[in-house]
Amino acid sequence: MLQQISVFVENKSGRLYAVMETLSKATVDIRAMTIADTSDFGIVRLIVNDADKALQALNAENFTVKVTDVIGFTIPDKFGALCDVVRVLGEKDINIEYSYSLMGKEKGEADIVIRVNDTQKAEEILTGAGVKLISISDIL
């Protein structure tokens, strides 16, 4: 299981930079990032090398931050591999709320992050299906 940092920011020029600058000054390494936005605000979702340090640094700068458990996994970089994982989860009534890519380390593999409705059950299903789960030590 991975911890995801979600930062709520106003959707205006300079706010993403402020998040990046805060993490950079705290020597937090970003391993994955996605941004969801509306006209007024955005949610920057991050996987970092040190979630506790990121949380402390962002809170010190008065950002609104939330920590969420997510699942990271590795699949072969081949046609249909992600489809197979999504099918296995769907057959067991696991809903994927959102997904994004994670910086991979191995050629020929794709690393994915998902947020699901039941993290523990999804991890058990994926492990049982032979899917390699990612821990924070795998991405450092």
Side-chain angles (χ1 to χ4, degrees):
M1 187 175 318
L2 297 172
Q3 288 191 314
Q4 171 186 271
I5 304 292
S6 297
V7 187
F8 299 87
V9 293
E10 291 176 273
N11 192 359
K12 67 179 191 177
S13 180
R15 293 307 293 156
L16 180 60
Y17 171 71
V19 171
M20 298 296 109
E21 181 181 40
T22 298
L23 295 175
S24 179
K25 284 181 179 179
T27 65
V28 172
D29 186 25
I30 298 169
R31 305 305 298 162
M33 180 176 84
T34 186
I35 302 172
D37 73 325
T38 67
S39 59
D40 297 326
F41 71 93
I43 302 172
V44 181
R45 293 182 173 117
L46 306 159
I47 304 294
V48 298
N49 66 321
D50 189 331
D52 292 333
K53 188 190 280 188
L55 185 62
Q56 182 179 19
L58 292 163
N59 280 330
E61 293 297 321
N62 297 314
F63 285 100
T64 301
V65 184
K66 181 180 176 184
V67 178
T68 307
D69 290 333
V70 293
I71 300 172
F73 59 90
T74 299
I75 55 175
D77 186 10
K78 67 177 190 173
F79 182 80
L82 184 56
C83 180
D84 292 341
V85 171
V86 172
R87 178 187 46 77
V88 166
L89 292 172
E91 287 174 348
K92 301 291 185 177
D93 294 322
I94 297 293
N95 180 47
I96 298 174
E97 297 173 11
Y98 56 81
S99 175
Y100 53 96
S101 299
L102 180 68
M103 287 177 113
K105 286 191 161 189
E106 300 296 327
K107 185 176 180 166
E109 293 181 343
D111 294 338
I112 308 292
V113 172
I114 57 174
R115 169 77 171 140
V116 296
N117 60 323
D118 188 335
T119 305
Q120 184 175 357
K121 182 178 176 184
E123 283 187 331
E124 292 169 6
I125 292 165
L126 292 173
T127 300
V131 176
K132 179 185 170 200
L133 299 182
I134 297 171
S135 68
I136 192 65
S137 62
D138 295 323
I139 60 173
L140 299 179

Coordinates of all heavy atoms in Angstrom, one line a residue, residues 11-62:
N11 N -7.2 27.3 -8.2 CA -6.9 27.2 -9.6 C -6.5 28.5 -10.2 O -7.3 29.2 -10.8 CB -8.1 26.6 -10.4 CG -7.6 26.1 -11.8 OD1 -6.5 26.3 -12.2 ND2 -8.6 25.6 -12.5
K12 N -5.2 28.9 -9.8 CA -4.7 30.2 -10.3 C -3.2 30.1 -10.4 O -2.6 29.3 -9.8 CB -5.2 31.4 -9.4 CG -4.6 31.4 -8.0 CD -5.1 32.6 -7.3 CE -4.3 32.8 -6.0 NZ -4.6 34.0 -5.2
S13 N -2.7 31.0 -11.2 CA -1.3 31.0 -11.5 C -0.4 31.1 -10.3 O -0.7 31.8 -9.3 CB -1.0 32.2 -12.4 OG 0.4 32.3 -12.7
G14 N 0.6 30.2 -10.2 CA 1.5 30.2 -9.1 C 1.3 29.2 -8.0 O 2.2 29.0 -7.2
R15 N 0.1 28.7 -7.9 CA -0.3 27.8 -6.8 C 0.4 26.5 -6.9 O 0.9 25.9 -5.9 CB -1.8 27.7 -6.7 CG -2.5 28.9 -6.3 CD -1.9 29.6 -5.0 NE -2.1 28.8 -3.8 CZ -1.4 28.8 -2.7 NH1 -0.4 29.7 -2.6 NH2 -1.7 28.1 -1.7
L16 N 0.5 25.9 -8.1 CA 1.2 24.7 -8.3 C 2.7 24.8 -8.0 O 3.3 24.0 -7.3 CB 1.0 24.1 -9.7 CG 1.7 22.8 -10.0 CD1 1.3 21.7 -9.0 CD2 1.5 22.3 -11.4
Y17 N 3.2 26.0 -8.4 CA 4.6 26.3 -8.1 C 4.9 26.3 -6.6 O 5.9 25.8 -6.1 CB 5.1 27.6 -8.8 CG 6.4 28.0 -8.3 CD1 7.6 27.3 -8.7 CD2 6.6 29.1 -7.4 CE1 8.8 27.7 -8.2 CE2 7.8 29.5 -7.0 CZ 9.0 28.8 -7.4 OH 10.2 29.2 -6.9
A18 N 4.0 26.9 -5.9 CA 4.1 27.0 -4.4 C 4.2 25.6 -3.8 O 4.9 25.4 -2.9 CB 3.0 27.8 -3.8
V19 N 3.3 24.7 -4.3 CA 3.4 23.3 -3.8 C 4.7 22.7 -4.1 O 5.4 22.1 -3.2 CB 2.2 22.5 -4.4 CG1 2.4 21.0 -4.0 CG2 0.9 23.0 -3.9
M20 N 5.2 22.8 -5.4 CA 6.4 22.2 -5.8 C 7.6 22.8 -5.0 O 8.5 22.1 -4.6 CB 6.7 22.4 -7.3 CG 5.6 21.8 -8.2 SD 5.6 20.0 -8.1 CE 4.1 19.7 -7.2
E21 N 7.6 24.1 -4.8 CA 8.7 24.8 -4.1 C 8.7 24.3 -2.6 O 9.8 24.1 -2.1 CB 8.5 26.3 -4.2 CG 9.6 27.1 -3.4 CD 9.4 28.6 -3.5 OE1 8.2 29.0 -3.3 OE2 10.4 29.3 -3.6
T22 N 7.6 24.2 -2.0 CA 7.5 23.7 -0.6 C 8.1 22.3 -0.5 O 8.9 22.1 0.4 CB 6.1 23.7 -0.1 OG1 5.6 25.1 -0.2 CG2 5.9 23.2 1.3
L23 N 7.8 21.4 -1.4 CA 8.3 20.1 -1.4 C 9.8 20.0 -1.7 O 10.5 19.3 -1.1 CB 7.5 19.2 -2.3 CG 6.0 19.0 -1.9 CD1 5.3 18.2 -3.0 CD2 5.9 18.3 -0.6
S24 N 10.2 20.9 -2.7 CA 11.6 20.9 -3.0 C 12.5 21.4 -1.9 O 13.5 20.8 -1.6 CB 11.8 21.9 -4.2 OG 13.1 22.0 -4.6
K25 N 12.0 22.4 -1.2 CA 12.8 22.9 0.0 C 12.8 21.9 1.1 O 13.8 21.9 1.9 CB 12.1 24.2 0.5 CG 12.4 25.4 -0.4 CD 11.7 26.7 0.2 CE 12.0 27.9 -0.6 NZ 11.4 29.1 -0.1
A26 N 11.8 21.1 1.2 CA 11.8 20.0 2.2 C 12.5 18.7 1.7 O 12.5 17.7 2.4 CB 10.4 19.7 2.6
T27 N 13.1 18.8 0.6 CA 13.8 17.7 -0.1 C 12.9 16.4 -0.2 O 13.4 15.3 0.0 CB 15.2 17.3 0.6 OG1 14.9 16.8 1.9 CG2 16.1 18.5 0.6
V28 N 11.7 16.7 -0.6 CA 10.8 15.6 -0.9 C 10.8 15.3 -2.4 O 10.6 16.2 -3.2 CB 9.3 16.0 -0.4 CG1 8.3 15.0 -0.8 CG2 9.3 16.2 1.1
D29 N 11.0 14.0 -2.7 CA 11.0 13.6 -4.1 C 9.7 13.1 -4.6 O 9.1 12.2 -3.9 CB 12.1 12.5 -4.2 CG 12.3 12.0 -5.6 OD1 12.1 12.8 -6.5 OD2 12.8 10.9 -5.8
I30 N 9.2 13.7 -5.6 CA 7.9 13.3 -6.2 C 8.1 12.1 -7.2 O 8.9 12.2 -8.1 CB 7.3 14.5 -6.9 CG1 7.0 15.6 -5.9 CG2 6.0 14.1 -7.6 CD1 6.6 17.0 -6.6
R31 N 7.4 11.1 -6.9 CA 7.5 9.9 -7.8 C 6.3 9.7 -8.7 O 6.4 9.1 -9.7 CB 7.6 8.6 -6.9 CG 8.7 8.7 -5.9 CD 10.1 8.9 -6.5 NE 10.4 7.9 -7.4 CZ 11.4 8.0 -8.3 NH1 12.1 9.1 -8.5 NH2 11.6 6.9 -9.1
A32 N 5.2 10.4 -8.4 CA 4.0 10.4 -9.3 C 3.2 11.6 -9.0 O 3.2 12.1 -7.8 CB 3.2 9.1 -9.1
M33 N 2.5 12.1 -10.0 CA 1.7 13.3 -9.8 C 0.5 13.3 -10.8 O 0.7 12.9 -11.9 CB 2.5 14.6 -9.9 CG 1.6 15.8 -9.7 SD 2.6 17.3 -9.8 CE 2.6 17.6 -11.6
T34 N -0.6 13.7 -10.3 CA -1.8 14.0 -11.2 C -2.5 15.2 -10.7 O -2.5 15.4 -9.5 CB -2.7 12.7 -11.4 OG1 -3.7 13.0 -12.3 CG2 -3.3 12.4 -10.0
I35 N -3.2 15.9 -11.5 CA -3.9 17.1 -11.1 C -5.3 17.0 -11.7 O -5.5 16.7 -12.9 CB -3.3 18.4 -11.6 CG1 -1.8 18.5 -11.1 CG2 -4.1 19.6 -11.2 CD1 -1.1 19.7 -11.7
A36 N -6.3 17.1 -10.8 CA -7.7 17.2 -11.2 C -8.2 18.6 -10.9 O -7.8 19.1 -9.8 CB -8.6 16.2 -10.4
D37 N -8.9 19.3 -11.8 CA -9.3 20.6 -11.5 C -10.7 21.0 -11.8 O -11.4 20.2 -12.6 CB -8.3 21.6 -12.2 CG -8.6 21.6 -13.7 OD1 -8.9 20.6 -14.3 OD2 -8.5 22.7 -14.3
T38 N -11.2 22.0 -11.3 CA -12.4 22.7 -11.6 C -12.0 24.1 -11.9 O -10.9 24.5 -11.9 CB -13.4 22.7 -10.5 OG1 -13.0 23.5 -9.4 CG2 -13.7 21.2 -10.0
S39 N -13.0 25.0 -12.2 CA -12.6 26.4 -12.5 C -12.1 27.1 -11.3 O -11.4 28.1 -11.4 CB -13.9 27.1 -13.1 OG -14.9 27.1 -12.2
D40 N -12.4 26.6 -10.1 CA -12.0 27.4 -8.9 C -10.9 26.7 -8.1 O -10.1 27.4 -7.5 CB -13.2 27.5 -7.9 CG -14.4 28.3 -8.5 OD1 -14.1 29.2 -9.3 OD2 -15.5 28.0 -8.2
F41 N -10.8 25.4 -8.1 CA -9.7 24.8 -7.3 C -9.2 23.5 -8.0 O -9.8 23.0 -9.0 CB -10.2 24.4 -5.9 CG -11.2 23.3 -5.9 CD1 -10.8 22.0 -5.7 CD2 -12.5 23.6 -6.0 CE1 -11.7 21.0 -5.6 CE2 -13.5 22.5 -6.0 CZ -13.0 21.2 -5.8
G42 N -8.1 23.0 -7.6 CA -7.5 21.8 -8.1 C -7.1 20.9 -6.9 O -6.9 21.3 -5.8
I43 N -7.0 19.6 -7.3 CA -6.4 18.7 -6.3 C -5.2 18.1 -6.9 O -5.2 17.5 -8.0 CB -7.4 17.5 -6.0 CG1 -8.7 18.1 -5.4 CG2 -6.8 16.5 -5.0 CD1 -9.8 17.0 -5.3
V44 N -4.1 18.3 -6.3 CA -2.8 17.8 -6.8 C -2.5 16.5 -6.0 O -2.4 16.6 -4.7 CB -1.6 18.8 -6.5 CG1 -0.3 18.2 -7.0 CG2 -1.9 20.1 -7.2
R45 N -2.5 15.4 -6.6 CA -2.3 14.1 -6.0 C -0.9 13.6 -6.2 O -0.4 13.6 -7.4 CB -3.3 13.1 -6.5 CG -4.7 13.4 -6.1 CD -5.7 12.3 -6.5 NE -7.0 12.6 -6.0 CZ -8.1 12.8 -6.7 NH1 -8.0 12.8 -8.1 NH2 -9.2 13.0 -6.2
L46 N -0.2 13.3 -5.2 CA 1.2 13.0 -5.2 C 1.6 11.7 -4.5 O 1.0 11.4 -3.5 CB 2.1 14.1 -4.6 CG 1.8 15.5 -5.1 CD1 2.3 16.5 -4.0 CD2 2.6 15.7 -6.4
I47 N 2.5 10.9 -5.1 CA 3.2 9.9 -4.4 C 4.6 10.4 -4.2 O 5.3 10.8 -5.2 CB 3.2 8.5 -5.2 CG1 1.8 8.1 -5.5 CG2 4.0 7.5 -4.4 CD1 0.9 7.7 -4.4
V48 N 5.1 10.4 -3.0 CA 6.4 11.0 -2.7 C 7.3 10.0 -1.9 O 6.7 9.0 -1.4 CB 6.3 12.3 -1.9 CG1 5.5 13.4 -2.7 CG2 5.6 12.1 -0.5
N49 N 8.6 10.3 -1.8 CA 9.5 9.4 -1.1 C 9.3 9.4 0.4 O 9.6 8.5 1.1 CB 10.9 9.7 -1.4 CG 11.3 11.1 -0.9 OD1 10.6 12.0 -1.0 ND2 12.5 11.2 -0.4
D50 N 8.7 10.5 1.0 CA 8.5 10.6 2.4 C 7.2 11.4 2.7 O 7.2 12.6 2.7 CB 9.7 11.3 3.0 CG 9.7 11.3 4.6 OD1 8.6 11.2 5.2 OD2 10.8 11.4 5.1
A51 N 6.1 10.6 2.8 CA 4.8 11.2 3.0 C 4.7 12.1 4.3 O 4.1 13.1 4.3 CB 3.7 10.2 3.0
D52 N 5.3 11.6 5.4 CA 5.3 12.4 6.6 C 6.0 13.7 6.5 O 5.5 14.8 6.9 CB 5.9 11.6 7.7 CG 5.1 10.4 8.1 OD1 3.9 10.4 7.9 OD2 5.8 9.4 8.6
K53 N 7.1 13.8 5.8 CA 7.9 15.0 5.6 C 7.1 15.9 4.7 O 7.0 17.1 4.9 CB 9.3 14.7 5.0 CG 10.2 15.9 4.9 CD 11.4 15.7 4.1 CE 12.5 15.0 4.9 NZ 13.7 14.9 4.1
A54 N 6.5 15.4 3.7 CA 5.7 16.2 2.7 C 4.5 16.8 3.5 O 4.2 18.0 3.3 CB 5.2 15.4 1.6
L55 N 3.8 16.0 4.3 CA 2.7 16.5 5.0 C 3.1 17.6 6.0 O 2.4 18.7 6.1 CB 2.0 15.3 5.8 CG 0.7 15.6 6.6 CD1 -0.4 16.0 5.6 CD2 0.4 14.3 7.3
Q56 N 4.1 17.4 6.7 CA 4.6 18.4 7.6 C 5.0 19.7 6.9 O 4.6 20.8 7.3 CB 5.8 17.9 8.4 CG 6.4 18.9 9.4 CD 7.6 18.3 10.2 OE1 8.2 17.3 9.7 NE2 7.8 18.8 11.3
A57 N 5.7 19.7 5.8 CA 6.1 20.8 5.0 C 4.9 21.6 4.5 O 4.8 22.8 4.5 CB 7.1 20.5 3.9
L58 N 4.0 20.9 3.9 CA 2.8 21.5 3.3 C 1.9 22.1 4.4 O 1.3 23.2 4.2 CB 2.0 20.5 2.4 CG 2.8 20.0 1.2 CD1 2.1 18.8 0.6 CD2 2.8 21.2 0.1
N59 N 1.7 21.4 5.5 CA 0.9 22.0 6.6 C 1.5 23.3 7.1 O 0.8 24.2 7.4 CB 0.7 21.0 7.7 CG -0.4 20.0 7.4 OD1 -1.3 20.3 6.7 ND2 -0.2 18.8 7.9
A60 N 2.9 23.3 7.2 CA 3.6 24.5 7.7 C 3.3 25.7 6.8 O 3.4 26.8 7.3 CB 5.1 24.2 7.8
E61 N 3.0 25.4 5.5 CA 2.8 26.5 4.6 C 1.3 26.7 4.4 O 0.8 27.4 3.4 CB 3.4 26.2 3.2 CG 4.9 26.2 3.3 CD 5.5 27.6 3.7 OE1 5.0 28.6 3.2 OE2 6.5 27.6 4.4
N62 N 0.5 26.2 5.3 CA -1.0 26.4 5.3 C -1.7 25.8 4.1 O -2.8 26.3 3.8 CB -1.3 27.8 5.6 CG -0.8 28.3 6.9 OD1 -1.0 27.6 7.9 ND2 -0.2 29.5 6.9

